[in-house]
Structure formats: C-alpha cells, structure tokens
Amino acid sequence: MRDAEDYSSSYARIPARVLGCLRGGEITISLFPGHGIVVTQAIQTHLVPETLRMPNSEFDVVVRNPDAEIIRVLRCGESCSEMDRCNE
C-alpha cells in the first residue's frame, strides 16, 4: 500500500464535456462522457481555455488525489507536466 505522502501527490486525467455555463463564473461539465456514467460538476470558468467553453466541447481535467481537486484543463492529447513527473 502507498503511504499518504505518495498518495497526496498522485494525479488522474479524466475526460470531460461542457454542458453549459452558469452565472457567477462557472461552467458545468460532465465527467466520463459517453461511458454511461452521469457525473456533473461546476468548475471555475478561468480553468477552461476560451476555445473550449462552448457546449459539447471535450477536454481532459487533471485532478489531484486524494481530494479530487481539479487543478488543470487539458486539450485532448495534450501532455501534462504534473502527471509526467509522477510517472518518472
């Protein structure tokens, strides 16, 4: 089993799709779209590049474990330095 220090610095990449914008600077996204799982979450607009803010735009979110905090939005296929460092 991994110790707490290792676990706190692990990251996961999750596919997401924009559902729509909310007032107050938030965008509603669907996590794991197309997998039969309906998980929605509101995230701060500033995390999402302008070109990906339209409904049905798809991208990946990088979350930091163990609290699943979204730390970054990546275009599909874009590399992630945090995850690359973890895998070394």
Side-chain angles (χ1 to χ4, degrees):
M1 183 165 170
R2 301 171 73 179
D3 63 31
E5 188 173 330
D6 286 341
Y7 187 69
S8 67
S9 64
S10 64
Y11 298 88
R13 186 177 187 137
I14 300 171
R17 180 182 296 144
V18 174
L19 294 177
C21 294
L22 298 173
R23 293 179 187 218
E26 292 184 329
I27 292 178
T28 302
I29 61 172
S30 171
L31 301 173
F32 305 104
H35 289 92
I37 302 171
V38 180
V39 177
T40 60
Q41 182 169 348
I43 64 171
Q44 294 297 310
T45 303
H46 69 85
L47 290 173
V48 182
E50 283 187 41
T51 57
L52 297 175
R53 294 180 186 171
M54 296 297 293
N56 296 318
S57 294
E58 293 187 353
F59 49 82
D60 295 330
V61 293
V62 176
V63 298
R64 180 179 22 226
N65 292 319
D67 57 359
E69 171 194 4
I70 295 176
I71 60 164
R72 201 162 169 204
V73 169
L74 302 170
R75 288 174 174 75
C76 296
E78 183 179 350
S79 66
C80 176
S81 59
E82 289 88 357
M83 292 182 75
D84 292 342
R85 280 193 300 262
C86 262
N87 292 331
E88 291 178 347

